[in-house]
mmCIF file of all heavy atoms in Angstrom:
data_model
loop_
_atom_site.group_PDB
_atom_site.id
_atom_site.type_symbol
_atom_site.label_atom_id
_atom_site.label_comp_id
_atom_site.label_asym_id
_atom_site.label_seq_id
_atom_site.Cartn_x
_atom_site.Cartn_y
_atom_site.Cartn_z
ATOM 1 N N THR X 17 77.720 111.185 75.331
ATOM 2 C CA THR X 17 76.418 111.044 74.674
ATOM 3 C C THR X 17 75.866 112.435 74.370
ATOM 4 O O THR X 17 76.473 113.453 74.745
ATOM 5 C CB THR X 17 75.431 110.222 75.539
ATOM 6 O OG1 THR X 17 75.035 111.020 76.654
ATOM 7 C CG2 THR X 17 76.052 108.921 76.027
ATOM 8 N N GLY X 18 74.713 112.475 73.715
ATOM 9 C CA GLY X 18 74.170 113.741 73.209
ATOM 10 C C GLY X 18 73.579 114.619 74.296
ATOM 11 O O GLY X 18 72.665 114.205 75.012
ATOM 12 N N GLY X 19 74.101 115.814 74.436
ATOM 13 C CA GLY X 19 73.589 116.768 75.426
ATOM 14 C C GLY X 19 74.446 118.011 75.364
ATOM 15 O O GLY X 19 75.619 117.932 74.964
ATOM 16 N N THR X 44 78.667 108.993 70.881
ATOM 17 C CA THR X 44 77.470 108.521 70.176
ATOM 18 C C THR X 44 77.217 109.476 69.006
ATOM 19 O O THR X 44 77.801 110.587 68.946
ATOM 20 C CB THR X 44 76.240 108.518 71.096
ATOM 21 O OG1 THR X 44 75.981 109.871 71.507
ATOM 22 C CG2 THR X 44 76.444 107.639 72.320
ATOM 23 N N VAL X 91 80.994 107.662 81.410
ATOM 24 C CA VAL X 91 80.141 108.277 80.389
ATOM 25 C C VAL X 91 79.705 109.641 80.908
ATOM 26 O O VAL X 91 78.980 109.742 81.911
ATOM 27 C CB VAL X 91 78.928 107.378 80.055
ATOM 28 C CG1 VAL X 91 78.067 108.052 78.981
ATOM 29 C CG2 VAL X 91 79.399 106.012 79.577
ATOM 30 N N PRO X 93 78.721 113.585 79.203
ATOM 31 C CA PRO X 93 77.444 113.440 79.899
ATOM 32 C C PRO X 93 76.752 112.144 79.508
ATOM 33 O O PRO X 93 76.944 111.644 78.404
ATOM 34 C CB PRO X 93 76.644 114.647 79.387
ATOM 35 C CG PRO X 93 77.191 114.906 78.017
ATOM 36 C CD PRO X 93 78.648 114.569 78.099
ATOM 37 N N ALA X 94 75.911 111.651 80.452
ATOM 38 C CA ALA X 94 75.063 110.495 80.158
ATOM 39 C C ALA X 94 73.636 111.013 80.032
ATOM 40 O O ALA X 94 73.077 111.530 81.003
ATOM 41 C CB ALA X 94 75.172 109.468 81.279
ATOM 42 N N SER X 95 73.068 110.913 78.842
ATOM 43 C CA SER X 95 71.709 111.425 78.608
ATOM 44 C C SER X 95 70.678 110.482 79.224
ATOM 45 O O SER X 95 70.987 109.329 79.560
ATOM 46 C CB SER X 95 71.461 111.527 77.104
ATOM 47 O OG SER X 95 71.501 110.232 76.541
ATOM 48 N N ALA X 96 69.437 110.974 79.336
ATOM 49 C CA ALA X 96 68.345 110.135 79.881
ATOM 50 C C ALA X 96 68.180 108.893 79.020
ATOM 51 O O ALA X 96 67.987 107.780 79.524
ATOM 52 C CB ALA X 96 67.052 110.951 79.910
ATOM 53 N N ASP X 97 68.295 109.067 77.712
ATOM 54 C CA ASP X 97 68.138 107.958 76.783
ATOM 55 C C ASP X 97 69.233 106.908 77.002
ATOM 56 O O ASP X 97 68.964 105.708 77.057
ATOM 57 C CB ASP X 97 68.204 108.514 75.349
ATOM 58 C CG ASP X 97 68.169 107.407 74.314
ATOM 59 O OD1 ASP X 97 67.147 106.714 74.237
ATOM 60 O OD2 ASP X 97 69.192 107.225 73.614
ATOM 61 N N PHE X 98 70.462 107.376 77.169
ATOM 62 C CA PHE X 98 71.576 106.443 77.361
ATOM 63 C C PHE X 98 71.417 105.680 78.676
ATOM 64 O O PHE X 98 71.638 104.465 78.740
ATOM 65 C CB PHE X 98 72.913 107.198 77.334
ATOM 66 C CG PHE X 98 74.087 106.286 77.457
ATOM 67 C CD1 PHE X 98 74.527 105.552 76.369
ATOM 68 C CD2 PHE X 98 74.729 106.116 78.673
ATOM 69 C CE1 PHE X 98 75.595 104.666 76.480
ATOM 70 C CE2 PHE X 98 75.800 105.244 78.799
ATOM 71 C CZ PHE X 98 76.236 104.521 77.700
ATOM 72 N N ILE X 99 70.997 106.400 79.720
ATOM 73 C CA ILE X 99 70.804 105.758 81.028
ATOM 74 C C ILE X 99 69.728 104.675 80.918
ATOM 75 O O ILE X 99 69.859 103.579 81.462
ATOM 76 C CB ILE X 99 70.458 106.839 82.091
ATOM 77 C CG1 ILE X 99 71.743 107.608 82.420
ATOM 78 C CG2 ILE X 99 69.851 106.226 83.348
ATOM 79 C CD1 ILE X 99 71.538 108.882 83.192
ATOM 80 N N ALA X 100 68.663 104.985 80.154
ATOM 81 C CA ALA X 100 67.585 104.003 79.960
ATOM 82 C C ALA X 100 68.124 102.755 79.251
ATOM 83 O O ALA X 100 67.806 101.623 79.611
ATOM 84 C CB ALA X 100 66.452 104.642 79.149
ATOM 85 N N LYS X 101 68.968 102.987 78.252
ATOM 86 C CA LYS X 101 69.531 101.857 77.495
ATOM 87 C C LYS X 101 70.358 100.957 78.409
ATOM 88 O O LYS X 101 70.237 99.737 78.388
ATOM 89 C CB LYS X 101 70.467 102.393 76.408
ATOM 90 C CG LYS X 101 69.782 102.733 75.122
ATOM 91 C CD LYS X 101 70.905 102.934 74.109
ATOM 92 C CE LYS X 101 70.470 103.842 73.014
ATOM 93 N NZ LYS X 101 71.551 104.137 72.093
ATOM 94 N N ALA X 125 77.742 110.097 84.432
ATOM 95 C CA ALA X 125 77.463 111.441 84.958
ATOM 96 C C ALA X 125 76.219 111.974 84.243
ATOM 97 O O ALA X 125 76.329 112.543 83.152
ATOM 98 C CB ALA X 125 78.659 112.357 84.714
ATOM 99 N N PRO X 126 75.036 111.762 84.837
ATOM 100 C CA PRO X 126 73.803 112.179 84.165
ATOM 101 C C PRO X 126 73.773 113.694 83.905
ATOM 102 O O PRO X 126 74.293 114.482 84.691
ATOM 103 C CB PRO X 126 72.699 111.812 85.169
ATOM 104 C CG PRO X 126 73.318 110.843 86.106
ATOM 105 C CD PRO X 126 74.779 111.166 86.149
ATOM 106 N N ALA X 127 73.165 114.064 82.786
ATOM 107 C CA ALA X 127 72.959 115.481 82.460
ATOM 108 C C ALA X 127 71.665 115.566 81.668
ATOM 109 O O ALA X 127 71.559 114.962 80.602
ATOM 110 C CB ALA X 127 74.124 116.009 81.634
ATOM 111 N N MET X 128 70.698 116.262 82.219
ATOM 112 C CA MET X 128 69.414 116.370 81.517
ATOM 113 C C MET X 128 68.544 117.439 82.156
ATOM 114 O O MET X 128 68.852 117.916 83.257
ATOM 115 C CB MET X 128 68.689 115.019 81.540
ATOM 116 C CG MET X 128 68.260 114.568 82.904
ATOM 117 S SD MET X 128 67.824 112.825 82.979
ATOM 118 C CE MET X 128 69.410 112.034 82.864
ATOM 119 N N MET X 132 62.998 115.733 82.966
ATOM 120 C CA MET X 132 63.419 114.406 82.483
ATOM 121 C C MET X 132 64.010 113.589 83.620
ATOM 122 O O MET X 132 63.800 112.386 83.721
ATOM 123 C CB MET X 132 64.452 114.547 81.355
ATOM 124 C CG MET X 132 63.891 115.136 80.080
ATOM 125 S SD MET X 132 65.206 115.552 78.910
ATOM 126 C CE MET X 132 65.380 114.024 78.034
ATOM 127 N N THR X 138 63.023 107.692 84.515
ATOM 128 C CA THR X 138 64.455 107.963 84.701
ATOM 129 C C THR X 138 64.876 107.580 86.116
ATOM 130 O O THR X 138 65.949 107.005 86.322
ATOM 131 C CB THR X 138 64.766 109.456 84.445
ATOM 132 O OG1 THR X 138 64.220 109.808 83.184
ATOM 133 C CG2 THR X 138 66.240 109.746 84.474
#
Side-chain angles (χ1 to χ4, degrees):
T17 72
T44 63
V91 180
S95 64
D97 175 64
F98 183 78
I99 286 167
K101 273 192 206 175
M128 66 196 73
M132 292 170 88
T138 308

